[in-house]
Amino acid sequence: MAAVFESNSERDNNCPDLSFVSGIWVSHTHELKDSFKELVNTIYKTEAKVVDFQRKEEVVEEANLWASVASKGLITEVLKTKYLNEFTTVLFANALYFKGTWKEIFDEHHTRNQDFHLLNGDKISVPFMTGCKEYLYGSFEGVQVAKIPYLIGKDNKEFSMYIFLPKEKDGLPNLLTKSEF
């Protein structure tokens, strides 16, 4: 009943470790249409499991065990009982685990405390990683983007972190509404 995408099953220290799982649970009081079941099977690569959501603890335990088994222990919790109530009829769960090593390691000695601006206008001092490595960088209308690559593993799959930073210190809400990214 689990859809699992996994990379680097050998878990080489230099290889990115990636696990993505999807699952669906439906209340025993409801029945899914065949067209929806087909969609779940073809798109999410999983099957719906029938459960009794009134037994919250059992459903949560089952969902978390499913995530742990499906991700080989990388993802151990996808659900808490507080997310279920008497109106719950269908539960979709997706979880993603990623751990990688930067291609160029940041030197901890270059970490500096700098101002970080909160959405409410306040600022706090936090440690920032800095460095002079050559990264792909772009500056666009209202936003800066940096690409920081991870080491490539034996499977030759490339992963990078993209950081989107608004140019204005109060620009995050506007950045989140942009559809170009």
Side-chain angles (χ1 to χ4, degrees), residues 5-53:
F5 171 75
E6 190 174 19
S7 178
N8 186 26
S9 57
E10 296 174 16
R11 295 210 188 143
D12 181 327
N13 287 337
N14 293 328
C15 296
D17 205 352
L18 175 67
S19 183
F20 177 77
V21 294
S22 294
I24 182 170
W25 293 263
V26 63
S27 173
H28 69 286
T29 60
H30 290 70
E31 188 172 328
L32 297 176
K33 292 183 178 181
D34 288 339
S35 59
F36 185 77
K37 287 180 185 177
E38 183 179 338
L39 176 78
V40 167
N41 288 330
T42 57
I43 301 297
Y44 294 100
K45 308 288 189 240
T46 190
E47 292 183 28
K49 171 120 168 103
V50 177
V51 295
D52 181 356
F53 284 111

Side-chain angles (χ1 to χ4, degrees), residues 27 29-30 53-54 56 83-91:
S27 173
T29 60
H30 290 70
F53 284 111
Q54 299 306 311
K56 291 187 207 181
Y83 299 126
L84 302 177
N85 61 39
E86 65 273 10
F87 303 109
T88 306
T89 55
V90 177
L91 170 68

Side-chain angles (χ1 to χ4, degrees), residues 15 37 50 64 75 82 95 106 127 135 138 143 165 169 175:
C15 296
K37 287 180 185 177
V50 177
N64 290 333
I75 302 167
K82 68 181 181 179
F106 285 94
Y135 297 114
V143 65
L165 181 66
K169 67 180 176 184
L175 176 61

Side-chain angles (χ1 to χ4, degrees), residues 4-20 70-75 95-102 150-155 157-160:
V4 180
F5 171 75
E6 190 174 19
S7 178
N8 186 26
S9 57
E10 296 174 16
R11 295 210 188 143
D12 181 327
N13 287 337
N14 293 328
C15 296
D17 205 352
L18 175 67
S19 183
F20 177 77
S71 69
K72 296 185 176 155
L74 295 174
I75 302 167
L96 173 71
Y97 175 92
F98 179 82
K99 183 177 181 181
T101 302
W102 299 115
Y150 290 93
L151 284 176
I152 298 173
K154 293 177 185 173
D155 58 5
K157 292 183 180 169
E158 295 183 35
F159 294 94
S160 296

